Amino acid sequence: MKWRTLAVGLLLSALSVTACGRQGSPGGSAAPAVNEPAAANVQVAGSPTFAAMQQRGRVVVGVKDDQPGLGYKDATTNQFTGFDIEVARLVASQLGYAADKIDYKTVPSAAREDAISRGDVDYYVGTYTINDNRKQRVSFAGPYFVAGQGLLVRKDDSAITSKDTLKGKKVCSVTGSTPIQRVQQQQLTEPENIVQFQTYSQCVDQLLNSQVDVVTTDDAILKGYAAQNPDKLKVVGDTFSTEPYGIGLNKDDSALRGKINDVLQASFDNGTWQKIYDATLGKSGSASSEPQLQRY
Ligand code: GLU
């Protein structure tokens, strides 16, 4: 699996060198699945965020950096890879910014609304579920993917098979996420058995060390961790929620929201979305097709 990924990565980077004569910039994303050239003369009338990007000459994108297959930063190369990163790059390219004009800023789940509303990031692409609660502080383009809450356990565990088998088990998830809220609201385990961290990789470390019994969040995220460590980890049971992923934006910037929705719709229609998906998430076994946009 690792060799295959490496081989595909090398092939893609060879292609991207041929295509545009250079490799990914430091801290950029490695081996893009789709190398869209930056669109020329883009205008987004009435968008304060776009005006700020133009003044800066760069785009600041909020992402996750520890979710393999979605938003992941390689510790040795410092390069970002994954489905969310590719979506972020596609949007940037259609706003007129090539890959070397993107700055990635890692923002954990609990800090997203603050980072977006303060303008620390121009937009956010990182397994960010669209919901009414969050819409009070930010807005969303999309959805561009639909995940569902699942369970990750140690390979030798046969006791945890569904959300109804979590009582008495130590359940780990992330502060400020929809999955942890669901565990609390549906009382899937006792309050003292709920363990919270800022990131899912911290939960996965605790699972591997047997400090917790299960990690719960979106299946797409969990499948990425299981694929990294197939001898020790497995995803079990059916999903038990619907998590439509949106691109988080400033609440008042409806012009940018409309523009990004147009970019997403075009990528659904012209096959770009499918190419990005096949090169990233599709590999860890997440099945999906383009969702319906929620324009508002
Ligand atoms: N999609 C869920 C959420 O937005 C869980 C994943 C995450 O924490 O990013 O809360």
Side-chain angles (χ1 to χ4, degrees):
M1 176 68 197
K2 276 210 170 119
W3 280 109
R4 219 193 103 129
T5 313
L6 183 66
V8 171
L10 288 174
L11 178 67
L12 287 169
S13 69
L15 288 174
S16 74
V17 170
T18 332
C20 67
R22 55 159 193 83
Q23 271 174 307
S25 59
S29 74
V34 173
N35 224 339
E36 291 284 327
N41 303 322
V42 182
Q43 294 299 330
V44 188
S47 167
T49 315
F50 186 75
M53 287 178 202
Q54 287 202 302
Q55 205 156 29
R56 219 187 290 121
R58 301 189 66 80
V59 184
V60 183
V61 184
V63 294
K64 297 288 188 77
D65 66 4
D66 69 331
Q67 299 182 174
L70 285 154
Y72 189 75
K73 186 179 177 182
D74 186 289
T76 41
T77 65
N78 271 343
Q79 293 195 314
F80 282 89
T81 53
F83 181 68
D84 284 337
I85 302 298
E86 297 289 347
V87 170
R89 286 179 52 125
L90 175 69
V91 169
S93 72
Q94 299 311 298
L95 292 173
Y97 295 89
D100 61 349
K101 297 275 191 297
I102 303 175
D103 295 319
Y104 297 97
K105 197 170 196 146
T106 302
V107 180
S109 299
R112 290 183 287 210
E113 288 82 42
D114 279 345
I116 295 165
S117 56
R118 273 202 305 257
D120 293 354
V121 299
D122 295 320
Y123 56 92
Y124 185 95
V125 193
T127 62
Y128 197 14
T129 295
I130 302 171
N131 66 29
D132 288 344
N133 194 23
R134 290 170 177 169
K135 276 189 194 164
Q136 290 174 12
R137 298 192 58 205
V138 299
S139 73
F140 292 95
Y144 62 91
F145 187 75
V146 182
Q149 186 165 355
L151 304 169
L152 180 75
V153 297
R154 286 182 296 276
K155 193 109 194 223
D156 58 6
D157 187 319
S158 53
I160 298 173
T161 53
S162 72
K163 75 181 176 75
D164 304 318
T165 58
L166 302 180
K167 292 264 162 57
K169 304 288 181 188
K170 286 228 173 306
V171 179
C172 194
S173 196
V174 159
T175 312
S177 70
T178 49
I180 200 148
Q181 285 161 14
R182 203 163 287 110
V183 172
Q184 289 160 339
Q185 281 158 11
Q186 297 187 11
Q187 302 180 5
L188 298 180
T189 191
E190 301 74 16
E192 64 274 20
N193 280 330
I194 300 176
V195 181
Q196 301 194 31
F197 286 100
Q198 287 296 306
T199 64
Y200 295 108
S201 51
Q202 288 170 295
C203 281
V204 173
D205 287 345
Q206 296 270 311
L207 180 65
L208 289 166
N209 293 335
S210 299
Q211 304 286 110
V212 303
D213 301 305
V214 52
V215 180
T216 186
T217 185
D218 306 335
D219 56 343
I221 301 175
L222 299 177
K223 281 178 183 160
Y225 291 122
Q228 257 193 342
N229 217 334
D231 299 336
K232 298 206 171 116
L233 300 172
K234 62 179 178 185
V235 176
V236 292
D238 296 330
T239 55
F240 49 97
S241 75
T242 304
E243 310 287 335
Y245 288 174
I247 297 181
L249 299 160
N250 186 287
K251 188 171 187 281
D252 304 318
D253 204 332
S254 54
L256 188 61
R257 188 172 72 234
K259 171 71 186 174
I260 294 181
N261 274 329
D262 291 345
V263 170
L264 291 175
Q265 188 61 57
S267 80
F268 298 166
D269 297 342
N270 66 20
T272 303
W273 183 95
Q274 192 66 46
K275 275 189 206 147
I276 288 174
Y277 172 80
D278 290 345
T280 55
L281 263 192
K283 292 199 174 121
S284 62
S286 288
S288 186
S289 51
E290 305 91 332
Q292 191 77 30
L293 291 177
Q294 295 171 12
R295 300 237 186 205
Y296 66 96

